[in-house]
Amino acid sequence: MITNLPKHVAIIMDGNGRWAKNRGLNRVKGHERGAEVVREITTAASDIGIKFLTLYAFSTENWKRPKMEVEFLMKLLDRYLKNELPIYMKENVKFETVGDLSKFSKTLQKTIQHIKNKTKNNSGLTQILALNYGSRDEIIRAIKKLNENHEDINEQNLEKYLDSANFGDVDLLIRTSGEVRVSNFLLWQIAYAEMVFTDTLWPDFNKDEFYDILKEYGNRDRRFGGV
Ligand code: FPP
């Protein structure tokens, strides 16, 4: 029995490349296996009753990777979303995104929109993929909107214009692969998040470890600056 479930879990899915390299495989094989883990963890989060799961799938910096890897990730994403639709429907999962989608191909944008439309009335877990996402970019875009609309600069108004406006603050941030940094991910939203860093590479991450981390979270004492 897991008590004190976090409402919003965010994950930096890191280590796909190293997982593949350790096996003498091409990096993209790690991403392929990583996509299967995305499915396993999404189902696990949905089954246990988490409301929001944000996954860092492609950062604003990831365009710097070799062209072949970027193209592979785009195709993998398109294929993943199309295959996933029956699972989203069965699990009552709503699909959402954060990030600037305008840089993706029209085909991928269409797939993303299609899956959002189909799942928009699902009321269980919301799975949010961070796509072409960078937290600084998100905050700047929000400030520009505040400015255009001549609104007061305060926390409430700014939050309205963040991509994450409907999902709120992150309660628990997990990063795999042993790196201990937040890499421009949800900087505003993790202000009071609990953080867990695990050495496990993302393709080796699984439901059991995820539930162990949720148990650890449940035992932490969150004071939000109070005593
Ligand atoms: C980090 O591993 C992972 C990414 C840059 C992208 C995350 C993508 C996936 C988990 C697969 C596709 C996702 C979906 C939703 C279909 P890395 O390549 O930086 O690993 P390394 O640090 O070991 O090189």
Side-chain angles (χ1 to χ4, degrees):
M1 173 72 182
I2 300 179
T3 50
N4 287 330
L5 267 187
K7 189 171 170 198
H8 188 168
V9 177
I11 308 183
I12 303 178
M13 310 182 288
D14 198 7
N16 294 349
R18 273 163 286 168
W19 181 89
K21 195 172 167 222
N22 292 345
R23 285 166 177 71
L25 300 170
N26 190 297
R27 294 177 53 81
V28 299
K29 289 286 168 201
H31 297 316
E32 220 161 47
R33 171 73 198 129
E36 287 168 27
V37 179
V38 169
R39 175 173 304 133
E40 178 177 340
I41 298 306
T42 301
T43 305
S46 158
D47 289 347
I48 202 165
I50 284 167
K51 279 309 289 172
F52 302 104
L53 176 68
T54 306
L55 302 169
Y56 211 172
F58 196 87
S59 78
T60 46
E61 284 73 38
N62 285 156
W63 298 104
K64 290 186 231 153
R65 294 187 173 212
K67 192 163 169 260
M68 180 257 180
E69 185 175 338
V70 171
E71 279 171 7
F72 182 90
L73 279 167
M74 297 299 134
K75 282 204 194 103
L76 180 63
L77 190 60
D78 197 74
R79 194 170 73 211
Y80 167 83
L81 288 174
K82 285 174 179 154
N83 286 340
E84 224 51 21
L85 186 56
I87 300 169
Y88 288 140
M89 299 317 285
K90 180 171 157 272
E91 294 272 336
N92 194 22
V93 170
K94 184 175 179 172
F95 168 69
E96 281 284 358
T97 61
V98 289
D100 177 4
L101 301 180
S102 68
K103 291 214 171 53
F104 292 116
S105 72
K106 289 280 171 282
T107 319
L108 183 54
Q109 289 188 44
K110 236 172 102 185
T111 304
I112 291 170
Q113 201 46 55
H114 174 68
I115 308 294
K116 281 186 184 173
N117 290 343
K118 288 279 183 193
T119 62
K120 70 171 190 283
N121 294 322
N122 289 350
S123 56
L125 171 80
T126 302
Q127 182 212 51
I128 304 137
L129 291 188
L131 297 172
N132 188 29
Y133 178 84
S135 195
R136 290 180 175 182
D137 176 65
E138 178 193 30
I139 293 168
I140 297 288
R141 285 188 283 108
I143 293 171
K144 281 184 181 159
K145 283 185 201 146
L146 270 182
N147 198 30
E148 276 164 28
N149 297 336
H150 308 289
E151 289 182 57
D152 280 353
I153 297 182
N154 59 46
E155 291 189 13
Q156 220 186 352
N157 281 345
L158 186 92
E159 279 173 359
K160 272 197 323 210
Y161 292 120
L162 291 176
D163 299 342
S164 65
N166 297 323
F167 323 129
D169 275 357
V170 169
D171 299 300
L172 169 64
L173 175 74
I174 301 170
R175 182 172 189 145
T176 59
S177 94
E179 310 291 349
V180 185
R181 52 177 175 265
V182 292
S183 301
N184 202 14
F185 190 44
L186 302 170
L187 300 179
W188 180 278
Q189 299 86 339
I190 61 171
Y192 289 100
E194 293 296 319
M195 297 190 193
V196 173
F197 298 91
T198 165
D199 287 340
T200 308
L201 303 174
W202 177 252
D204 289 326
F205 195 68
N206 61 24
K207 178 179 161 171
D208 289 342
E209 186 169 2
F210 183 53
Y211 284 171
D212 283 345
I213 292 174
L214 294 180
K215 272 187 214 138
E216 182 186 333
Y217 170 90
N219 292 330
R220 288 195 188 179
D221 178 20
R222 300 184 77 197
R223 293 191 295 276
F224 298 94
V227 288

